Amino acid sequence: DKLQAADKMELWSLGENMNEWSDAHSGSDVTLYMNDEKVAVVGDMLFEERFPYIDTDAGGDVTVYLETQGEIISSLPADVKIIGGHGRVYTLEEYEALNSLLWETYDKVKELVMADESLEAIKKADPLVDYAHLEWRLVNKDKWVEIIYSSLR
């Protein structure tokens, strides 16, 4: 059976905290923290060691995405296990490191945007040359530059 739009979903409270985040990965993202297990399920707010896919057509915004990751990080205990929508289980320290790395890429592109460089000039300058290891099928360096550029323009 598939869950239909008219169906209802019930959640029983077992010490969980569920949060809705607007305009991050998409127009609406949900995270769940299970207190007793010290497990956070963050879905598409964590892409394993890669540029995240930001669904701008659905209301996502890279700046909000990175800020929201920071809010999620600051709300979790140090010994949490973090389950993203894609990839392995993360520690809080690993999630913080990934967020910092993504902010580095953002800042490199932002510097060129603020210098009034065109999108094509920024791509040609290849400010993310040192971050090629974060590329994947849906988001390569150029696509990540486009996502950042469009959020700043």
Side-chain angles (χ1 to χ4, degrees):
D1 289 326
K2 292 183 179 179
L3 187 64
Q4 301 296 316
D7 292 340
K8 294 181 180 178
M9 184 185 299
E10 292 184 27
L11 296 174
W12 288 269
S13 179
L14 299 171
E16 295 94 354
N17 296 314
M18 188 161 44
N19 292 298
E20 188 274 338
W21 308 93
S22 297
D23 307 325
H25 158 71
S26 65
S28 179
D29 294 284
V30 174
T31 59
L32 175 68
Y33 175 66
M34 294 169 274
N35 294 317
D36 294 342
E37 293 81 10
K38 294 195 177 180
V39 171
V41 180
V42 299
D44 286 332
M45 293 305 302
L46 171 59
F47 285 77
E48 180 185 359
E49 295 302 319
R50 59 176 107 167
F51 296 123
Y53 176 75
I54 308 297
D55 191 350
T56 55
D57 291 338
D61 180 274
V62 67
T63 309
V64 176
Y65 180 89
L66 296 174
E67 290 170 347
T68 300
Q69 278 188 327
E71 289 181 49
I72 293 167
I73 289 164
S74 67
S75 74
L76 297 172
D79 57 348
V80 68
K81 293 180 183 86
I82 303 167
I83 301 170
H86 306 273
R88 64 180 175 80
V89 175
Y90 267 59
T91 65
L92 186 62
E93 186 176 288
E94 291 169 326
Y95 194 27
E96 287 174 313
L98 179 59
N99 179 254
S100 293
L101 186 65
L102 293 173
W103 273 116
E104 284 177 26
T105 66
Y106 177 91
D107 289 341
K108 287 183 178 293
V109 175
K110 181 180 178 181
E111 182 179 331
L112 296 171
V113 171
M114 295 299 113
D116 211 26
E117 295 288 341
S118 70
L119 177 58
E120 290 310 312
I122 294 171
K123 286 181 185 180
K124 188 174 180 178
D126 199 10
L128 304 181
V129 66
D130 295 332
Y131 302 91
H133 64 285
L134 298 175
E135 292 183 302
W136 59 294
R137 182 178 53 86
L138 290 179
V139 186
N140 60 21
K141 292 182 300 176
D142 281 350
K143 178 66 175 174
W144 188 237
V145 167
E146 290 170 14
I147 290 169
I148 296 169
Y149 186 90
S150 68
S151 79
L152 295 170
R153 286 287 179 195

